[in-house]
């Protein structure tokens, strides 16, 4: 499995000869426009930092073979943009990759802000590491995974909730996402807390600006 962090919550995954893009939102890098040969685009929820209504139509036009799998709330947004999409209806496959939806509701931001659907995704393929991207919620249980994408900072998340999430899952590897609101010093602080106060069994991989990074099953 190769993972490229394209900014904030957006990850490009190359696994079992399949290319998957997760959460192409407004905070994603400019490199998002150049992504090609996608087999699927996965959207956890409809907030613009996870689903960019301005760039996604062009992205899908440049990747006509890509399926779009999403939460129920994003389905209407995508169809209003004239895009074909499918809401998760249980486990499905994209080529040899099994996509399992996990979770239902976005974390609470404030009592005055209605909660929306949020569906994280677990990805599995034979001989490859498994990965879980939770979107904007920490309460779902994907089961044991090899690589955990974890929100580094968010308006809906306390630092101790982030480190508790890492401890609870204790994945061998973890990749910080949802970092688009952080300046460099603040980002370093949260990364330090993730490493010191998260799980001692987890290695944190900061992929921001690192390009494609390879993860292997059993390592």
């Amino acid at each position: 499995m190769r993972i490229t962090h394209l900014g904030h919550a957006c990850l490009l995954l190359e696994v079992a000869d399949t290319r998957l893009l997760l959460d192409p939102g407004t905070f994603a890098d400019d490199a998002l426009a150049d992504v090609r040969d996608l087999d699927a685009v996965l959207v956890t929820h409809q907030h613009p930092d996870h689903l960019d209504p301005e760039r996604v139509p062009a992205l899908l036009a440049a990747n006509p073979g890509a399926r779009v799998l999403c939460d129920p709330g994003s389905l209407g947004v995508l169809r209003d943009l004239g895009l074909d999409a499918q809401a998760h209806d249980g486990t499905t496959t994209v080529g040899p990759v099994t996509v399992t939806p996990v979770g239902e509701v976005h974390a609470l931001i404030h009592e005055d802000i209605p909660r929306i659907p949020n569906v994280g995704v677990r990805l599995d393929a034979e001989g490859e590491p498994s990965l879980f991207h939770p979107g904007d919620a920490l309460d779902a249980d994907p089961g044991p995974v090899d690589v955990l994408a974890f929100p580094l900072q968010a308006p809906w998340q306390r630092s101790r909730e982030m480190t508790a999430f890492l401890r609870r899952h204790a994945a061998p590897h973890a990749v910080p996402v949802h970092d688009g609101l952080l300046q460099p010093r603040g980002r370093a602080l949260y990364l330090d807390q993730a490493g010191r106060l998260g799980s001692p069994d987890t290695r944190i991989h900061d992929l921001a600006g690192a390009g494609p990074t390879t993860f292997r099953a059993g390592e």
Side-chain angles (χ1 to χ4, degrees):
M1 173 185 287
R2 294 207 308 172
I3 304 176
T4 306
H5 186 196
L6 293 179
H8 196 55
C10 186
L11 297 178
L12 174 64
L13 305 179
E14 300 169 89
V15 52
D17 296 322
T18 304
R19 288 170 60 84
L20 308 168
L21 187 70
L22 276 66
D23 279 4
T26 52
F27 293 170
D29 301 339
D30 291 341
L32 178 67
D34 299 323
V35 176
R36 297 292 183 271
D37 301 320
L38 290 174
D39 295 287
V41 175
L42 310 177
V43 178
T44 62
H45 65 285
Q46 64 190 279
H47 284 159
D49 60 320
H50 294 255
L51 172 58
D52 186 342
E54 295 187 2
R55 289 193 287 175
V56 164
L59 175 71
L60 291 175
N63 291 275
R67 294 173 60 188
V68 182
L69 299 171
C70 65
D71 67 288
S74 296
L75 188 61
V77 175
L78 290 161
R79 288 181 174 174
D80 286 345
L81 294 170
L83 303 174
D84 291 329
Q86 175 186 350
H88 292 290
D89 184 20
T91 298
T92 188
T93 56
V94 178
V97 181
T98 299
V99 180
T100 304
V102 186
E104 297 180 355
V105 182
H106 192 288
L108 178 67
I109 302 173
H110 190 277
E111 289 80 1
D112 292 346
I113 299 177
R115 297 175 74 178
I116 61 171
N118 178 91
V119 180
V121 287
R122 176 185 171 125
L123 305 175
D124 294 274
E126 186 175 355
E128 299 275 4
S130 55
L131 177 140
F132 177 55
H133 190 306
D136 280 8
L138 302 179
D139 58 346
D141 183 6
V145 293
D146 299 304
V147 183
L148 179 70
F150 69 99
L152 195 60
Q153 185 273 342
W156 46 267
Q157 176 181 268
R158 299 173 181 174
S159 177
R160 66 172 178 265
E161 294 171 332
M162 176 263 287
T163 54
F165 182 72
L166 288 167
R167 289 189 182 193
R168 186 170 80 249
H169 292 286
H173 306 280
V175 174
V177 295
H178 212 283
D179 57 357
L181 295 178
L182 292 171
Q183 51 129 303
R185 283 179 294 183
R187 194 171 187 280
L189 184 151
Y190 279 100
L191 281 170
D192 177 69
Q193 291 186 340
R196 287 191 301 108
L197 304 175
S199 171
D201 299 321
T202 299
R203 178 183 174 189
I204 307 294
H205 302 261
D206 183 11
L207 302 187
T213 301
T214 299
F215 296 80
R216 294 181 175 86
E219 296 184 1

